[in-house]
């Protein structure tokens, strides 16, 4: 029997998946608190702040629905069946100029990543020393070029040969030893394909399982490559431990609101170019150590601007994601590609937190796309 999620009633990658994934992240952490007792159990404030953050995220989604329906006459629950999938193309069908440009950009991103690994002199996935040096300017440019280009290519052109480029890029970014980049590539591509293809449920499940395997494998191999750390936990236990530890850091952020007073966000935007790590500031502000750690999607805003800043951040993220989600339901193409990128990165933020300048850059592009679309829609009304 064939199953298809895209029936107009159930939308697997609606922005509300962020709420589901946050709750799942909490559940994953609980064994380390209540069964293994490897880490101290959090106080009730943790659950209260997470609940408030998710509530304001939902408020952002609701406001987006109201604005689009009232002012732009956009149906925010448009049935997917109204939108045709991208036309299937074979390897030998004619390539348009735009498709060739996108293929060239994807290839450039891949080439830059090959050069980056070659200059490092080894594979960072298997060396903690090389991993610490892997996030070079070449790496950043490669990622900025590759991720949007491959998603736009997949959204606009239904040609199976493009999956090879996706796979090559995925492998190369996984070899850098960072979990977030290969997960972002896989998850954003899955979301893009979900909205532009007729995808069977079994393939969606297989893709999600593949993402989980990559997450476990890359994370576990990278940790084992750190010679000064010795872990007795298996890969699944390690994921639970990391989730629990990150949420404990969030508890510390709740206790130390306004500690960084905006410096964390400033370092996020400028740190790559000044060789400063925003997550080191998180470590200093929460556990008093010069150590790069994560504090969930809620932590950095709390440290910078307190609970009000955190609630505004979550509200704006919900507003932007839902607006772009509704627009891509109507127009597909680049809108779907960037919705896939933003949603994937936001899901990753649930653990890592918004401390990556490249993701804020993608959000800025998403905002420009929204403004561009709504200006055109306003002229048509």
């Amino acid at each position: 029997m064939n199953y298809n999620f895209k029936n107009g009633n159930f939308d697997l990658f609606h922005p509300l998946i962020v709420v589901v994934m946050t709750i799942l992240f909490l559940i994953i952490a609980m064994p380390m608190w209540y069964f293994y007792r490897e880490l101290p159990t959090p106080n009730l404030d943790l659950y209260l702040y997470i609940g408030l953050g998710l509530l304001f995220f939902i408020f952002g989604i609701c406001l987006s629905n109201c604005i689009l329906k009232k002012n732009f006459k956009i149906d925010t629950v448009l049935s997917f069946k109204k939108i045709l999938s991208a036309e299937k193309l074979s390897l030998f069908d004619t390539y348009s100029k735009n498709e060739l440009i996108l293929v060239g950009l994807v290839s450039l991103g891949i080439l830059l990543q090959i050069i980056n690994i070659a200059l490092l002199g080894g594979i960072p996935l298997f060396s903690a020393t090389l991993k610490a040096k892997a996030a070079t300017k070449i790496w950043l440019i490669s990622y900025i070029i590759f991720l949007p280009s491959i998603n736009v290519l997949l959204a606009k052109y239904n040609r199976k040969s493009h999956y090879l480029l996706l796979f090559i890029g995925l492998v190369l970014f996984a070899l850098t030893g960072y979990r977030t980049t290969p997960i972002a590539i896989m998850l954003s591509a899955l979301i893009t394909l979900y909205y532009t293809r007729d995808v069977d449920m079994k393939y969606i499940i297989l893709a999600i399982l593949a993402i989980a395997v990559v997450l476990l494998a890359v994370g576990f191999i990278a940790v084992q490559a750190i010679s000064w750390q010795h872990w007795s936990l298996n890969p699944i236990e390690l994921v639970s431990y990391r989730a629990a530890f990150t949420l404990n850091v969030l508890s510390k952020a709740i206790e130390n609101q306004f500690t960084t007073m905006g410096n964390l966000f400033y370092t996020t935007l400028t740190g790559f170019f000044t060789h400063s790590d925003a997550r080191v500031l998180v470590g200093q502000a929460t556990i008093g150590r010069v150590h790069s750690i994560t504090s969930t999607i809620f932590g950095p805003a709390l440290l910078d601007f307190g609970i009000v800043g955190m609630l505004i951040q979550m509200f704006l993220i919900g507003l932007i994601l839902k607006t772009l989600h509704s627009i891509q339901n109507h127009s597909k193409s680049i809108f779907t590609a960037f919705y896939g990128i933003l949603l994937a990165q936001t899901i990753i933020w649930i653990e890592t937190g918004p401390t990556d300048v490249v993701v804020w850059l993608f959000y800025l592009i998403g905002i420009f796309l929204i403004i561009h679309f709504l200006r055109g829609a306003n002229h048509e009304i």
Side-chain angles (χ1 to χ4, degrees):
M1 181 182 294
N2 291 328
Y3 297 89
N4 198 322
F5 278 129
K6 301 198 295 288
N7 55 19
N9 297 316
F10 183 78
D11 184 353
L12 180 61
F13 291 111
H14 187 280
L16 284 174
I17 194 175
V18 173
V19 176
V20 176
M21 295 301 293
T22 303
I23 294 171
L24 180 61
F25 189 68
L26 266 171
I27 293 171
I28 290 171
M30 287 180 178
M32 288 296 152
W33 291 330
Y34 301 109
F35 299 106
Y36 291 89
R37 299 194 179 278
E38 292 278 346
L39 292 166
T41 56
N43 57 39
L44 291 177
D45 284 353
L46 176 73
Y47 300 100
L48 175 63
Y49 273 72
I50 290 175
L52 285 172
L54 294 179
L55 183 62
F56 272 74
F57 178 81
I58 294 170
F59 285 164
I61 290 174
C62 293
L63 180 62
S64 173
N65 287 337
C66 292
I67 292 173
L68 293 179
K69 287 179 180 179
K70 182 177 180 180
N71 297 311
F72 299 96
K73 312 303 179 188
I74 293 176
D75 182 1
T76 58
V77 291
L78 182 71
S79 172
F80 300 122
K81 292 183 178 179
K82 295 178 184 177
I83 303 295
L84 297 176
S85 299
E87 180 185 356
K88 289 185 178 180
L89 299 168
S90 73
L91 176 63
F92 302 105
D93 286 335
T94 303
Y95 286 73
S96 68
K97 180 180 178 180
N98 288 339
E99 186 178 7
L100 287 174
I101 290 173
L102 286 169
V103 170
L105 287 172
V106 172
S107 301
L108 176 61
I110 290 172
L111 177 60
L112 288 173
Q113 193 54 238
I114 292 173
I115 293 172
N116 184 48
I117 294 175
L119 291 176
L120 289 170
I123 301 193
L125 177 60
F126 305 112
S127 168
T129 303
L130 291 178
K131 180 184 174 183
K133 302 176 182 178
T136 63
K137 289 182 173 61
I138 295 177
W139 173 89
L140 179 64
I141 295 170
S142 171
Y143 189 62
I144 290 175
I145 292 174
F146 178 82
L147 188 63
S149 299
I150 191 64
N151 276 280
V152 175
L153 185 65
L154 293 174
K156 289 178 66 68
Y157 303 101
N158 188 355
R159 199 185 298 266
K160 290 184 178 179
S161 56
H162 295 330
Y163 298 144
L164 178 60
L165 294 173
L166 172 65
F167 179 76
I168 294 171
L170 172 64
V171 170
L172 288 171
F173 279 98
L175 290 178
T176 61
Y178 299 114
R179 295 168 304 131
T180 55
T181 44
I183 297 303
I185 291 169
M186 294 181 72
L187 187 54
S188 63
L190 174 60
I191 296 167
T192 297
L193 293 173
Y194 176 80
Y195 287 112
T196 58
R197 307 284 195 277
D198 293 321
V199 184
D200 267 11
M201 180 180 179
K202 61 185 178 182
Y203 295 119
I204 294 172
I205 293 173
L206 287 173
I208 292 172
L209 289 174
I211 291 171
V213 169
V214 170
L215 173 65
L216 291 170
V218 174
F220 188 72
I221 293 171
V223 165
Q224 295 300 314
I226 302 175
S227 58
W228 56 87
Q229 293 184 1
H230 304 282
W231 294 90
S232 59
L233 303 175
N234 63 44
I236 295 176
E237 290 170 339
L238 192 60
V239 169
S240 179
Y241 184 94
R242 178 141 191 164
F245 179 81
T246 301
L247 287 164
N248 281 2
V249 174
L250 173 59
S251 291
K252 295 292 185 181
I254 293 170
E255 296 171 4
N256 294 279
Q257 295 178 47
F258 295 106
T259 301
T260 51
M261 296 295 291
N263 191 38
L264 185 52
F265 185 62
Y266 175 78
T267 304
T268 296
L269 298 181
T270 63
F272 186 88
F273 307 99
T274 59
H275 304 288
S276 302
D277 186 353
R279 292 173 187 169
V280 170
L281 293 183
V282 174
Q284 291 175 321
T286 54
I287 63 174
R289 299 179 191 171
V290 182
H291 186 63
S292 179
I293 59 175
T294 57
S295 59
T296 79
I297 193 172
F298 311 103
L302 284 169
L303 290 170
D304 266 346
F305 310 112
I307 186 171
V308 174
M310 185 266 283
L311 296 179
I312 292 173
Q313 171 195 275
M314 296 306 297
F315 173 82
L316 291 176
I317 290 175
L319 178 68
I320 294 167
L321 280 179
K322 180 52 188 161
T323 303
L324 194 55
H325 171 263
S326 298
I327 291 172
Q328 72 83 27
N329 269 344
H330 286 259
S331 297
K332 301 300 179 188
S333 188
I334 191 172
F335 300 102
T336 299
F338 270 90
Y339 175 70
I341 292 169
L342 294 190
L343 181 59
Q345 296 282 9
T346 304
I347 290 172
I348 291 169
W349 270 358
I350 292 171
E351 187 222 346
T352 64
T355 53
D356 306 290
V357 63
V358 66
V359 184
W360 285 115
L361 174 63
F362 292 146
Y363 257 94
L364 185 61
I365 295 172
I367 291 170
F368 281 134
L369 289 173
I370 290 170
I371 294 171
H372 174 74
F373 177 87
L374 294 183
R375 286 182 63 185
N378 195 41
H379 291 153
E380 294 176 3
I381 296 176

